[in-house]
Amino acid sequence: MERPLTTPAPASAEGARAYLDLLAREASALEFEGPILQARAAGADAATLEELEQAKVAALKVRAMLRRRARREAELSALFDTAGDLAGLRDLDAVLEAIVHRARQLLGTDIAYMTLNDPERGDTYMRVTDGSISADFRRLRLAMGAGLGGLVAQTGTPYNTADYFADPRFRHTTTIDGAVQEEGLVAILGVPLRLGPQVIGVLFAANRSARPFAQEEVALLCSLAAHAAVAIDTARLLQETRAALAELSGANAVISAHSQAIERAADAHDRMTGLVLRGGGVEDVAAVVTEVLGGRLTVLDDEGRPLVGEARELDAGVFDAAQSSRALGRTVKRGDAYVASVDVGAAPLCTLVLRTDRPVSDTDQRILERAALVTALLLLFRRSVAEAEGRVRGELLDDLVSRPELRGLRDRARRLGVDLDAPHVLVVARHDGQRERAAFWASSQATLAHGLAAARGDEVVLLLPGDRPGALARRVATELTASLGRPATAGAAP
């Protein structure tokens, strides 16, 4: 018997278009209830309302993903802007004020400020504020170990509190509490300004109402603090150069060479920053380093695998030097190798190894360190994009497995480059608890093969094109074992 012809519900189609319009004009989350309310008022049936509800949920997910991506892009843009300020550094006060202002904007706090340590008096004093309303607060000095800021300055460890006055971890004093109370601060986050192993000050973001600080906000403020420390260090180098010019008028050749090295470092930093802003990759940054410094450069990922260069250039001493570099925050020399390594959350992110037959000056080592920082930012950005795509693919795979009758699955798959009409094999691989690394590997494999992947506990699930379950299961088990460095097992079904 032939099925009766049906036509799509106009209300549903109009609602879908309405959600696209809401996404296009970046409407608030509350406005996404509008199409459902309008359809209900127009007398739409239950099926149409259910479709609209599903479209609303999907649109809100897209909206949340776009907002997260926009926030991440804003954070990276601010870090790149700060790097550009450092490359053209002329006025230390202006750069520090810009960093504090950006910290306040990006974290969305009521106030941001910076203190610097005073070695002569053994305390720390207010250097720059943005959003402050209290004169006493702007003149505040903190004893080492006193208050949240004094504790950060003394220990070199980030601290934050959602309610400062109710937090017993900090040594409260009348002077500090009075100034903080006059400013009206409640929630405070402080991170150290480091020059190598030395803490030279603290960068703060604070709110006049209770609020927790997420780990991403702590990491972002740490990145801005690293830029501020570089600005202070660069300003110190420039001041030393000017003093040398005044005191050693007979050493023109040495001073000229030093100035050229600083300009070369600024030029290299400008070029690397420009590459990133134009969409360049790790290979492009490596090319700038080798062009400026010469020698042979190897770039390693968080597992010590080469992204640029060859593994035969490496030895055990290089990996020990990378660990020392992360601990010191500086380039470490081992034989003819200069090693600069960057970590995030105490975990290695990337390492640059430069081998050269000639000595590398301190200024040129700073170029290598800044190249490592730019490379780390690129890898973090790639990781965030990969994680976002992995979530989208994982959600589609969940819907295919748990709700295959759901409408729109083929359209969603087609947008991800997945042809659901072609033969596919479902592969389930079990690992030994390395969830994050296994999930990243599975997402990458699914993207390359035009398939789907999702992580579930100690397992990853992949939907891959093909019609040979046994061969695919063996390949997945072998490659996942190689990636994790530990045994993994897999089973598959068509």
Side-chain angles (χ1 to χ4, degrees), residues 82-90 262-263 265-267 269-270 273 370:
T82 304
D85 289 343
L86 297 183
L89 177 64
R90 292 298 179 269
I262 292 177
E263 291 176 5
D267 177 68
H269 200 127
D270 275 341
T273 303
R370 293 176 184 180

Side-chain angles (χ1 to χ4, degrees), residues 75 77 208 455:
E75 293 173 354
S77 177
R208 295 189 174 94

Side-chain angles (χ1 to χ4, degrees), residues 3 16 22 26 36 43 65 80 82-83 127 154 171 179 186 201 207 247 256 269 296 342 377 393 421 435 472 477 493:
R3 295 182 179 179
L22 290 170
E26 300 180 353
I36 295 178
M65 182 183 69
F80 293 145
T82 304
R127 180 68 168 79
Q154 184 181 58
R171 178 157 62 88
V186 178
N207 235 38
E247 298 173 2
S256 176
H269 200 127
R296 305 183 306 279
V342 177
L377 292 174
R393 290 179 179 272
D421 294 322
R435 177 183 172 88
L472 269 177

Side-chain angles (χ1 to χ4, degrees), residues 188-459:
I188 305 174
L189 164 63
V191 301
L193 298 171
R194 287 184 175 275
L195 281 179
Q198 180 184 7
V199 177
I200 63 170
V202 182
L203 179 62
F204 298 86
N207 235 38
R208 295 189 174 94
S209 59
R211 63 163 280 186
F213 289 96
Q215 188 59 39
E216 308 89 75
E217 294 176 309
V218 177
L220 175 60
L221 198 62
C222 285
S223 296
L224 290 171
H227 282 300
V230 171
I232 295 169
D233 191 32
T234 305
R236 178 184 60 80
L237 290 174
L238 289 173
Q239 290 169 359
E240 290 175 358
T241 302
R242 295 190 185 103
L245 285 169
E247 298 173 2
L248 306 172
S249 58
N252 289 330
V254 175
I255 294 173
S256 176
H258 186 59
S259 298
Q260 289 173 5
I262 292 177
E263 291 176 5
R264 190 158 66 113
D267 177 68
H269 200 127
D270 275 341
R271 291 174 61 186
M272 289 186 287
T273 303
L275 279 173
V276 173
L277 294 177
R278 293 193 299 271
V282 174
E283 299 82 3
D284 299 312
V285 175
V288 171
V289 174
T290 52
E291 180 182 342
V292 173
L293 302 182
R296 305 183 306 279
L297 184 71
T298 302
V299 181
L300 308 176
D301 65 9
D302 57 342
E303 287 293 303
R305 297 171 298 196
L307 299 172
V308 175
E310 299 182 9
R312 63 183 177 84
E313 298 282 352
L314 309 175
D315 54 41
V318 166
F319 294 99
D320 291 339
Q323 186 174 3
S324 299
S325 175
R326 291 191 295 272
L328 297 173
R330 289 295 190 190
T331 298
V332 172
K333 185 177 184 299
R334 287 289 187 276
D336 66 343
Y338 292 83
V339 182
S341 188
V342 177
D343 62 7
V344 57
L349 185 59
C350 71
T351 300
L352 272 60
V353 182
L354 179 69
R355 292 189 182 275
T356 177
D357 297 330
R358 64 174 186 81
V360 178
S361 67
D362 288 345
T363 306
D364 284 353
Q365 291 181 34
R366 301 293 88 77
I367 294 176
L368 189 64
E369 292 162 10
R370 293 176 184 180
L373 179 60
V374 171
T375 301
L377 292 174
L378 280 172
L379 294 176
L380 281 173
F381 180 75
R382 286 183 181 179
R383 183 180 296 178
S384 66
V385 171
E387 289 173 352
E389 182 174 352
R391 283 193 295 272
V392 173
R393 290 179 179 272
E395 290 169 359
L396 176 56
L397 180 55
D398 285 345
D399 289 342
L400 283 169
V401 173
S402 61
R403 297 192 295 171
E405 76 284 353
L406 193 64
R407 296 183 61 180
L409 292 179
R410 276 183 166 77
D411 289 339
R412 289 165 59 191
R414 188 167 53 253
R415 286 193 292 271
L416 294 173
V418 179
D419 182 8
L420 294 181
D421 294 322
H424 282 75
V425 172
L426 188 68
V427 183
V428 179
R430 177 174 291 274
H431 53 87
D432 63 346
Q434 299 185 66
R435 177 183 172 88
E436 182 177 353
R437 179 162 296 281
F440 183 81
W441 177 88
S443 176
S444 301
Q445 293 298 309
T447 301
L448 292 173
H450 301 289
L452 302 173
R456 296 293 175 267
D458 289 339
E459 296 176 342

Side-chain angles (χ1 to χ4, degrees), residues 19 32 36 52-63:
Y19 284 123
F32 281 70
I36 295 178
L52 284 174
E53 180 65 27
Q54 294 175 2
K56 180 197 75 172
V57 172
L60 287 173
K61 288 181 179 179
V62 172
R63 176 181 179 273

